[in-house]
Amino acid sequence: APDKLQALRSALAGIEIITDPAQLTKLSLDFYHYSPVLTRQLSEKRGDLVVRPANEAEVMRVAAACAQHRIPVTIRGAGTGNYGQCIPLRGGVILDVSKLNQVLWAKPGVARVQAGAKLMAIDKQTREIGWEIRMAPSTYRTATIGGFIAGGSGGIGSITYGQLRDRGNVLALRVVTLEEEPRIIELRGDEVFKVSHAWGLNGIITEVEIPLAPAYPWAELVVAFPAEVGFMPAAHFGQALGDADGIIKKMISLHAWPIPSYFAPLRGSVPEGSAIALLMIAESSVEPLMELIREHGGQVVYNKTAQEASKGIMLGEFTWNHTTLHCRSVDTSLTYLQSAFPADRELKMVQHMYEYFGDEVLMHLEFIRIEGQATPVGLQIVRFTTEDRLNEIMRYHEENGVFIANPHTFIIEDGGRKVMDPRQIRFKQEVDPYGLLNPGKMRTWQERASG
Ligand code: FAD
């Protein structure tokens, strides 16, 4: 109601508020449009106003006022999520945390930063002491650390360090509650899982303590495999590199043809019809890597030192969901899957799906470490026809033992979760008693509320 919003605005005097309709539209949406299903469901959703606190004290004032007036709050980092996680379903306040962007301290192996700090900006500071973030989404340049922990899963670096959900990859979170008198709660150890990957449903993260990795100079390479041999030799090379413990790596990203044909800036380097591997490898490991490439019949078609790679193209921006971005920039009817194949060094199920779906589902794999083993996860490109067919494709994967984290839903349980962790539901009751944080995204909570 307008009077509620008016009261809110007076309570927030001195804090930046945005109501300009064009800005409001931009700051209400994210990258939901990769999904034709979410596009149909979410494109009209808007917040009523954006509030941009500059520090934690201002965050607490926003939380207090919204609790008092029972106004929904949707937290926003950089808005690069893919499932409409930060799109407000019921209007209200968009709490943009991008001004909380300080690196508070960094020492060998660990840093403490504000939640709105951008990943690349954090790295820039920690590299001065020889360390870097362990893993980052391909949206590294723009995404915030808070948004990554609340909405993401892993990415570049996950081949060595696993995913955010693995114990040890987030050391502590500081959270502001949504109550008339907001509290600050510091979560350490396994307690971080009360809030991590909870899509901003479980408190406002203001600070994050993260472990760091040694910052090697990372060479960037593209390896092509002859068109006649198809995709599987590239996939086997990816597995072998993932398993090569002596080679220090940060990224192993595999693409079946025609995906490379959508990578305009790389087109000159990739032979027609080739499957490719996009790699980030410590410079000191490039020589042994060359032996492995030879063994697998690959050909290096692009090779940049870390120094050269720091200017111009970032290969990482062709991997993970940037692959989908490039494909969709040519053909907007393309969409994608998120899948995890069973750990199997022979990659039998990868081969089956590659052959079974042919040109309808184009194979894109990222190798990551799951429970100690290099394992392929897929962000396959799908030639979309109907929602029924998309569901059928996902169902076929699941029936064959391929885990699907459905990226075509804004309900948290229906994505990668399947069921809510009871710790997260209990914590939500504690920190968001009125159910104002990102309402409508957690089925278990809605069902509870409706009785
Ligand atoms: P937002 O989109 O702003 O927010 C994400 C979620 O976190 C929302 O639910 C929001 O409410 C919540 N949130 C944000 N900040 C806070 C806070 N301070 N406290 C509590 N909740 C908060 N993801 C990956 O995991 N790996 C990838 O490799 C990857 N690649 C991508 C590539 C492209 C091209 C695109 C468009 C997306 C990709 N993503 C990937 C998804 C997304 O970019 C990342 O998860 C990113 O880290 C999200 O950060 P953000 O700051 O944009 O978060």
Side-chain angles (χ1 to χ4, degrees), residues 232 235-236 239 243 342-352 367 373-374 376:
M232 287 315 292
H236 289 299
Q239 181 73 53
D243 289 339
D344 160 32
R345 291 209 164 91
E346 293 176 34
L347 302 173
K348 287 206 191 80
M349 196 48 71
V350 170
Q351 178 158 10
H352 173 72
F367 276 89
Q373 196 170 332

Side-chain angles (χ1 to χ4, degrees), residues 13-289:
I15 303 178
E16 185 182 348
I17 290 181
I18 299 164
T19 51
D20 166 63
Q23 285 284 21
L24 204 53
T25 294
K26 184 169 161 245
L27 296 170
S28 292
L29 300 172
D30 62 8
F31 282 75
Y32 72 104
H33 48 79
Y34 282 23
S35 164
V37 182
L38 295 179
T39 299
R40 173 172 62 70
Q41 296 168 330
L42 297 178
S43 59
E44 305 295 317
K45 305 285 181 200
R46 300 290 181 273
D48 294 308
L49 49 93
V50 179
V51 183
R52 212 174 249 165
N55 51 49
E56 190 178 69
E58 290 191 355
V59 170
M60 292 178 80
R61 280 179 57 201
V62 178
C66 290
Q68 195 191 339
H69 297 287
R70 304 287 197 271
I71 295 173
V73 175
T74 305
I75 308 163
R76 181 180 179 91
T80 67
N82 291 112
Y83 329 130
Q85 292 117 298
C86 70
I87 298 182
L89 297 181
R90 309 206 180 140
V93 163
I94 292 166
L95 176 58
D96 178 332
V97 298
S98 58
K99 276 187 183 166
L100 277 74
N101 62 3
Q102 298 302 303
V103 174
L104 300 171
W105 50 258
K107 58 189 185 190
V110 51
R112 179 123 180 155
V113 303
Q114 287 187 311
K118 292 186 186 302
L119 298 165
M120 189 156 116
I122 297 171
D123 263 2
K124 198 163 172 241
Q125 291 195 41
T126 58
R127 283 214 179 105
E128 285 171 13
I129 58 163
W131 295 79
E132 66 182 18
I133 294 171
R134 283 185 174 178
M135 68 194 70
S138 61
T139 44
Y140 174 68
R141 224 187 261 269
T142 49
T144 66
I145 184 75
F148 184 39
I149 290 170
S153 57
I156 300 166
S158 288
I159 181 59
T160 302
Y161 296 100
Q163 296 173 278
L164 286 171
R165 70 163 67 108
D166 290 310
R167 182 181 276 151
N169 281 332
V170 177
L171 298 175
L173 296 174
R174 184 174 158 105
V175 172
V176 169
T177 64
L178 207 91
E179 300 171 286
E180 284 96 341
E181 290 179 24
R183 290 167 295 144
I184 291 173
I185 301 176
E186 171 95 3
L187 302 168
R188 303 197 67 90
D190 278 1
E191 291 202 311
V192 302
F193 297 116
K194 291 176 175 176
V195 176
S196 63
H197 205 75
W199 292 13
L201 286 149
N202 269 6
I204 306 159
I205 304 170
T206 55
E207 289 179 18
V208 171
E209 207 171 296
I210 41 165
L212 301 173
Y216 289 94
W218 298 108
E220 299 194 355
L221 297 96
V222 180
V223 182
F225 294 81
E228 325 65 91
V229 299
F231 177 68
M232 287 315 292
H236 289 299
F237 163 74
Q239 181 73 53
L241 177 56
D243 289 339
D245 292 336
I247 297 179
I248 298 166
K249 54 222 166 255
K250 188 166 174 177
M251 182 178 93
I252 308 174
S253 178
L254 284 306
H255 305 265
W257 189 265
I259 293 176
S261 71
Y262 294 107
F263 296 164
L266 296 177
R267 213 177 281 145
S269 313
V270 179
E272 181 79 14
S274 298
I276 57 170
L278 306 178
L279 310 176
M280 287 174 78
I281 304 288
E283 282 183 357
S284 56
S285 287
V286 169
E287 197 180 342
L289 170 73

